[in-house]
Amino acid sequence: MKLKQISVFLENKKGHLLEVLNVLSKAKINIRALSIADTSDFGILRLILPDPDKAAKILSQNKITVKETEVIAVGVSDKPGGLAEALQALNSANLNLEYMYAFVAKSKEKAVVVFRTENINAGIKALKKAGIPMLKAEEIYRI
Amino acid sequence: MFWQQDLETIDRKRLEEVQTGRLQDTVQRIWDNVPFYRDRINSAGTKPEDIKSVSDIKKLPFTSREDLLKNYPFGLVAVPRESIVRVHTSSGTTGKPKAIFFTKNDIDRGAELISRCLVMTGMRKNDVLQNMMTYGLFTGALVMHYGAEKVGVLVVPSGPGNTDRQIALMQDFKTTAIHITPSYALYLSNVFIRKGIDPRKDLNLKRAYLGAEPYSEETRKKIEEFFGIDVFNSYGLSEMNGPGVAFECQEKNGMHLWEDNFLLEIIDPATGEQVSDGERGEMVLTSLCREGMPIIRYRTRDLASVMPGKCPCGRTHRRITRITGRTDDMFIVKGVNIFPQQIENVLMGIKGVAQNYLIVLESLDHMTVQVEIEKELFDGNVTHLVNLQNAITEKLKNEILVKPKVELHEPGSLPASEGKAQRVIDNRTL
């Protein structure tokens, strides 16, 4: 249900994103999903990877500012209204969504949506109650 | 404990007599031996015999940094060449150096003042001082070195830089005190964090002497807390021996300026008039004992004030505040006078801001303040960072009255300094 996401602070300078990706590539770490949140001055790169602890360690060693954060992965049926259903569940429970991003899992019929709610445990509870299927960390890492 | 108790606690009236005698002697010597000063004093309408008390100092002309540059190299030397045993130079920002000459006695006196300073802060023979200032033409390291040896301290003359070796030396020789620039101390603390060394547990450090650059009270607290030590503020300038001109006692509340060796005035930099104790102005210093190259009424360009009142430590030499800026550090944005110290004070008081920062002047109306954020603060949430950025902008604007552009940078990404930190980058083409 909960899985670890790695956030990387990207200051606005040329080649910075490439540098981060190169570190991961050298360490033979494959990226499952990524999203970037940015302002005009800096960005935050969010990554889902098979071994987040190892990746965080390697990035830190390369003097890259990283943070591991817990997020929720939801399997959303690939049909109209699939995502709305999940959001409705959070909304009914009065939970704020800090951010979300989606990616399509290759071998599955479902889209995977990553949620970060203010309170992770409350988020999981609300989704469970609404019968929204959540994915285990191992399932995501294995995709 | 005192190094020279009688001199350090000298009665103020007696001190003034000593100062008067030494001032008269200094003026006579430069009148006799330095044509530049003879002309200057003469044009001010003054003769050596007009100096009857310390207040007559006002009858003497100022000496500026430009005067030292103009007279480079030997123009202000007051003794025969063979009496000079050492030269130090101080690099001006203009490129041309200032040369300062020392006789054997000048070196001994400089060391004596450092001994007073070190013993005043609690240093004893069994201490180990790692001297991380630059050895060489710069006075910072050598003057401290001689003074520490006089006390009987074991000196590790490491010089700055080569951080891994510094750490090994500190561990191997059980260093108890360091003499270091504030920016290098901050840099060291980052290296310790990275290497997982806890100076409180893994080292024997008790005190640090910080000088050569202005720094804020918040920076002192950060360093004290991180290293688990007492940080003492040190003030000096090559033109007046180097370190040891003024130093903090264990009260850590202002630096005692050794007034038997230096005559202190604080003036309004615009008018040249003396201001009263407690008022901020430019420090003007006259060497009272210097043989090789006496300097009178030197415009230090350092801004400070005299702290009124007696110090509980018993020393009668007046205390100056930390240097709150330099008249030539000041820059103007949107017509407002700004000192880098003001910006540092604000930044060091904000949680989440790391030690390194850079002020970039883009135009007459725009400045950027680049700030490193602390690693712990980064939680992957953009909103939190934007809030921090806004908070910094707002607090800076309240202090300097100009709204800067604030950029957040990764910890360790701004140019780190192992020597004097450069905090202001001026990209303006005026």
Side-chain angles (χ1 to χ4, degrees):
Chain A
M1 265 144 273
K2 278 187 220 170
L3 75 157
K4 277 184 184 166
Q5 162 200 273
I6 289 184
S7 304
V8 179
F9 179 64
L10 295 175
E11 59 181 69
N12 191 358
K13 71 181 180 202
K14 193 168 172 280
H16 202 3
L17 176 58
L18 178 64
E19 188 190 318
V20 174
L21 297 179
N22 277 339
V23 168
L24 293 173
S25 148
K26 255 186 219 146
K28 303 213 179 327
I29 296 174
N30 206 354
I31 299 170
R32 291 284 168 261
L34 68 78
S35 94
I36 291 182
D38 62 348
T39 74
S40 56
D41 300 325
F42 58 85
I44 292 174
L45 170 68
R46 301 189 177 114
L47 298 165
I48 303 286
L49 329 124
D51 189 346
D53 294 337
K54 182 181 155 203
K57 203 173 145 206
I58 289 169
L59 288 168
S60 287
Q61 281 165 353
N62 283 276
K63 295 189 186 169
I64 290 164
T65 309
V66 289
K67 176 87 180 181
E68 288 182 70
T69 326
E70 285 184 325
V71 291
I72 309 167
V74 171
V76 173
S77 327
D78 198 2
K79 60 168 201 225
L83 177 57
E85 229 176 280
L87 287 177
Q88 185 58 53
L90 295 174
N91 198 37
S92 309
N94 220 0
L95 286 170
N96 265 332
L97 193 60
E98 287 189 6
Y99 53 82
M100 57 161 283
Y101 51 97
F103 59 104
V104 179
K106 271 179 287 184
S107 58
K108 312 228 168 184
E109 289 302 300
K110 289 184 169 184
V112 179
V113 180
V114 175
F115 285 125
R116 166 78 195 177
T117 52
E118 276 172 333
N119 181 333
I120 287 285
N121 292 329
I124 291 174
K125 213 172 133 191
L127 292 165
K128 204 180 265 177
K129 203 174 143 204
I132 309 285
M134 280 171 283
L135 300 167
K136 289 204 179 90
E138 302 74 49
E139 292 179 72
I140 299 289
Y141 300 152
R142 243 187 289 118
I143 289 171
Chain B
M1 204 175 123
F2 297 89
W3 179 251
Q4 292 169 316
Q5 186 162 10
D6 49 338
L7 296 177
E8 293 173 48
T9 60
I10 188 171
D11 172 70
R12 290 292 306 178
K13 200 159 160 269
R14 173 80 194 110
L15 175 65
E16 204 174 309
E17 289 164 18
V18 171
Q19 288 178 320
T20 304
R22 288 179 173 174
L23 178 63
Q24 288 168 331
D25 176 61
T26 298
V27 172
Q28 191 64 56
R29 280 188 289 116
I30 55 176
W31 176 271
D32 292 342
N33 300 306
V34 185
F36 167 82
Y37 267 134
R38 192 190 184 108
D39 288 349
R40 265 290 173 85
I41 296 170
N42 209 8
S43 339
T46 305
K47 300 272 179 292
E49 51 273 25
D50 295 335
I51 308 300
K52 297 195 175 66
S53 72
V54 283
S55 58
D56 288 328
I57 186 96
K58 284 183 254 177
K59 296 177 180 164
L60 295 167
F62 289 115
T63 306
S64 68
R65 175 193 286 191
E66 287 67 35
D67 293 329
L68 263 60
L69 296 176
K70 247 187 316 202
N71 284 284
Y72 177 86
F74 297 112
L76 296 179
V77 175
V79 293
R81 161 65 196 84
E82 55 272 25
S83 303
I84 297 291
V85 299
R86 193 196 290 171
V87 59
H88 278 291
T89 66
S90 161
S91 54
T93 36
T94 47
K96 206 177 169 193
K98 293 164 282 191
I100 313 291
F101 297 92
F102 296 72
T103 64
K104 183 79 183 57
N105 285 338
D106 290 337
I107 287 173
D108 284 348
R109 253 183 199 286
E112 202 73 66
L113 294 184
I114 289 289
S115 303
R116 283 187 198 173
C117 300
L118 296 182
V119 169
M120 174 164 76
T121 62
M123 283 273 265
R124 300 295 180 264
K125 276 180 196 294
N126 54 0
D127 275 297
V128 180
L129 174 74
Q130 193 157 324
N131 196 0
M132 302 189 192
M133 293 286 185
T134 307
Y135 277 82
L137 287 167
F138 173 56
T139 48
L142 274 171
V143 173
M144 175 62 80
H145 183 111
Y146 277 54
E149 282 188 351
K150 213 180 233 313
V151 173
V153 166
L154 167 57
V155 184
V156 184
S158 62
N162 198 342
T163 304
D164 286 338
R165 193 184 59 186
Q166 298 281 11
I167 295 169
L169 291 170
M170 285 165 105
Q171 288 173 329
D172 296 347
F173 298 128
K174 307 210 177 321
T175 300
T176 62
I178 52 177
H179 181 213
I180 190 168
T181 60
S183 50
Y184 191 40
L186 294 172
Y187 175 78
L188 261 187
S189 63
N190 279 333
V191 176
F192 280 132
I193 293 170
R194 215 163 53 226
K195 291 185 177 292
I197 300 171
D198 179 359
R200 288 166 171 269
K201 282 197 233 115
D202 306 333
L203 299 175
N204 299 282
L205 278 187
K206 284 187 278 194
R207 32 187 99 80
Y209 304 110
L210 264 62
E213 300 161 353
Y215 62 106
S216 67
E217 197 55 37
E218 283 73 18
T219 301
R220 182 216 308 255
K221 286 198 192 109
K222 271 197 177 182
I223 296 172
E224 285 193 326
E225 202 154 294
F226 180 79
F227 288 94
I229 55 173
D230 283 312
V231 166
F232 297 96
N233 210 349
S234 152
Y235 175 74
L237 63 168
S238 305
E239 296 86 328
M240 296 284 145
N241 282 2
V245 173
F247 222 83
E248 273 180 339
C249 64
Q250 299 193 23
E251 301 291 326
K252 293 196 284 190
N253 183 24
M255 298 178 279
H256 291 282
L257 189 133
W258 301 121
E259 294 184 86
D260 55 337
N261 277 254
F262 305 100
L263 195 67
L264 166 68
E265 300 169 79
I266 308 273
I267 62 160
D268 175 340
T271 63
E273 295 298 318
Q274 292 181 358
V275 302
S276 349
D277 284 7
E279 269 180 70
R280 183 171 121 124
E282 179 181 353
M283 268 204 286
V284 171
L285 294 170
T286 298
S287 71
L288 291 175
C289 304
R290 180 65 84 58
E291 294 176 345
M293 188 169 152
I295 300 178
I296 55 165
R297 303 198 84 193
Y298 186 64
R299 301 277 304 247
T300 64
R301 305 190 186 196
D302 288 326
L303 297 171
S305 61
V306 168
M307 296 176 61
K310 286 183 184 156
C311 182
C313 81
R315 287 172 186 82
T316 49
H317 299 247
R318 284 181 299 167
R319 290 164 296 163
I320 53 168
T321 59
R322 64 173 57 249
I323 306 305
T324 51
R326 286 184 64 104
T327 54
D328 51 356
D329 274 350
M330 192 190 78
F331 53 86
I332 300 176
V333 175
K334 281 192 173 168
V336 180
N337 295 352
I338 301 169
F339 291 97
Q341 276 307 97
Q342 293 176 282
I343 291 173
E344 175 165 331
N345 284 338
V346 170
L347 294 180
M348 294 301 141
I350 300 174
K351 200 171 155 358
V353 172
Q355 294 103 349
N356 227 352
Y357 68 93
L358 201 60
I359 300 160
V360 184
L361 305 179
E362 319 277 7
S363 74
L364 283 173
D365 294 331
H366 295 100
M367 62 185 283
T368 301
V369 179
Q370 301 181 339
V371 182
E372 282 184 13
I373 59 165
E374 268 171 7
K375 199 168 179 292
E376 291 67 38
L377 192 102
F378 178 68
D379 61 359
N381 190 321
V382 182
T383 318
H384 295 169
L385 289 179
V386 172
N387 288 347
L388 177 68
Q389 196 176 20
N390 292 341
I392 297 172
T393 311
E394 201 50 38
K395 284 187 176 161
L396 282 173
K397 193 184 149 221
N398 288 341
E399 171 66 28
I400 59 177
L401 309 174
V402 170
K403 190 173 175 182
K405 177 172 168 15
V406 171
E407 279 178 10
L408 302 183
H409 288 260
E410 285 180 59
S413 66
L414 293 178
S417 47
E418 298 201 356
K420 274 202 183 199
Q422 172 144 25
R423 298 297 195 192
V424 182
I425 306 283
D426 197 340
N427 288 334
R428 299 177 293 188
T429 41
L430 300 180

